[in-house]
């Protein structure tokens, strides 16, 4: 019995997800105001504030992408620009066992991701294909994302230690509570089912994406952009 209890995945409430996601937005808004102020004063700390603003935009997109798609940390880190299909509202990810699948994006995640990509296009050293960049222009690391998300969780006043995988468990739980069929959730997460060990690759149909958008809590509120 104790082993079964330990295996129950930790997750956040919708309210906690909202607070986590809002944290980089609030920081980005502050840095944007500081940047405007210091530009007028020709302050020497402009570069530092620009770096912080870029990181806030990036992390805002990362958290919303995690919650939208339910993808794993490694899958997000390895995302390339050509893996995104905004027209279909999906991203292609390479999961466990090198199995490729398609993960769906909510309309809100698309808006926020597009806003970040606009900032990315103007960022120094952005010649690579990685979607998410460090401040130096290289592909962001898993450790960087883990540390940032944990910090945002603390600053948002969330008692739990927040991890990227917890966001994945959270949307699965929220979908289940919203009435989505468990087999669809298994497919959404790229898990194998009891009936088949090959349900790793999943093509998202228009009907499935519409259902995910309808049930996803992220689409209930239109977020402001940094």
């Amino acid at each position: 019995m104790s082993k079964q209890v330990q295996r129950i995945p930790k997750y956040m409430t919708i309210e906690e997800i909202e607070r986590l996601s809002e944290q980089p937005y609030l920081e980005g808004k502050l840095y944007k105001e500081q940047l405007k102020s210091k530009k007028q004063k020709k302050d020497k700390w402009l570069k530092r504030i620009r770096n912080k603003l870029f990181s806030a935009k990036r992390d805002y997109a990362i958290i919303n992408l995690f919650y939208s798609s339910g993808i794993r940390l490694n899958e997000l880190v390895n995302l390339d620009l050509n893996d995104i299909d905004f027209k279909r509202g999906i991203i292609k990810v390479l999961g466990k066992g090198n199995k490729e699948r398609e993960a769906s994006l909510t309309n809100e995640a698309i808006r926020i991701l597009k806003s970040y990509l606009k900032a990315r296009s103007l960022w120094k050293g952005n010649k690579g294909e990685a979607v998410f960049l460090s401040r130096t222009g290289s592909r962001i690391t898993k450790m960087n994302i883990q540390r940032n998300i944990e910090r945002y969780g603390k600053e948002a006043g969330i008692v739990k230690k927040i991890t990227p995988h917890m966001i994945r468990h959270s949307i699965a739980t929220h979908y289940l509570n919203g009435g989505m069929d468990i087999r669809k959730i298994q497919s959404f997460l790229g898990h194998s089912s009891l009936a088949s060990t090959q349900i790793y690759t999943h093509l998202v149909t228009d009907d499935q994406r519409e259902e995910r958008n309808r049930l996803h809590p992220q689409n209930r509120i239109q977020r402001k952009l940094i």
Side-chain angles (χ1 to χ4, degrees):
M1 181 64 72
S2 59
K3 289 185 177 180
Q4 290 179 339
V5 172
Q6 291 174 356
R7 290 175 183 172
I8 296 175
K10 295 180 181 180
Y11 64 92
M12 288 176 279
T13 64
I14 294 175
E15 187 267 342
E16 287 172 332
I17 286 284
E18 288 295 320
R19 284 161 56 191
L20 177 69
S21 179
E22 188 180 32
Q23 198 59 41
Y25 166 75
L26 293 175
E27 291 186 12
K29 186 178 179 181
L30 175 63
Y31 298 142
K32 203 170 185 178
E33 292 171 354
Q34 289 179 350
L35 189 62
K36 183 178 180 181
S37 172
K38 293 184 183 297
K39 271 184 178 179
Q40 295 171 347
K41 298 177 183 178
K42 297 183 179 180
D43 196 283
K44 63 180 180 179
W45 296 105
L46 281 176
K47 182 178 179 181
R48 184 178 179 183
I49 298 174
R50 285 196 186 101
N51 284 345
K52 289 184 175 181
L53 177 57
F54 176 78
S55 295
K57 281 178 172 283
R58 179 201 64 207
D59 296 344
Y60 191 45
I62 285 175
I63 291 173
N64 279 279
L65 183 61
F66 268 135
Y67 189 51
S68 168
S69 62
I71 63 175
R72 300 175 178 92
L73 174 59
N74 192 58
E75 294 168 346
L76 182 137
V77 167
N78 290 320
L79 272 182
D80 288 336
L81 294 173
N82 59 8
D83 293 327
I84 304 172
D85 186 341
F86 283 125
K87 187 176 181 180
R88 294 183 59 213
I90 59 97
I91 50 176
K92 294 180 181 178
V93 296
L94 196 64
K96 291 183 177 180
N98 289 325
K99 299 292 184 178
E100 186 180 272
R101 75 177 190 282
E102 294 179 348
S104 58
L105 300 177
T106 62
N107 297 334
E108 279 298 287
I110 288 173
R111 287 179 63 250
I112 295 168
L113 183 55
K114 283 183 175 180
S115 177
Y116 159 71
L117 290 177
K118 184 177 180 181
R120 181 198 178 283
S121 69
L122 302 173
W123 199 243
K124 59 185 181 296
N126 65 348
K127 305 302 180 183
E129 290 300 308
V131 173
F132 294 108
L133 305 177
S134 68
R135 292 179 182 180
T136 62
S138 60
R139 187 183 295 270
I140 196 170
T141 65
K142 291 190 290 185
M143 184 176 293
N144 194 339
I145 294 176
Q146 288 170 324
R147 286 176 176 174
N148 289 341
I149 287 181
E150 183 179 351
R151 176 178 67 83
Y152 287 128
K154 289 179 180 178
E155 292 178 355
I158 302 172
V159 177
K160 306 165 186 172
K161 181 181 178 181
I162 306 303
T163 67
H165 210 63
M166 192 182 293
I167 303 176
R168 175 174 161 87
H169 287 315
S170 298
I171 182 52
T173 303
H174 299 163
Y175 266 148
L176 186 62
N177 291 340
M180 183 178 281
D181 183 82
I182 187 64
R183 292 189 181 276
K184 291 182 179 179
I185 296 173
Q186 288 174 341
S187 180
F188 168 73
L189 294 175
H191 283 165
S192 60
S193 67
L194 295 175
S196 171
T197 59
Q198 298 182 359
I199 308 180
Y200 284 98
T201 303
H202 178 59
L203 299 177
V204 180
T205 67
D206 291 340
D207 287 344
Q208 288 168 337
R209 182 172 182 272
E210 175 60 31
E211 181 180 28
R212 292 175 184 179
N213 258 312
R214 177 172 55 81
L215 293 176
H216 203 297
Q218 193 178 59
N219 277 339
R220 294 176 186 170
I221 301 175
Q222 188 174 74
R223 299 185 186 279
K224 297 176 182 178
L225 299 177
I226 299 172

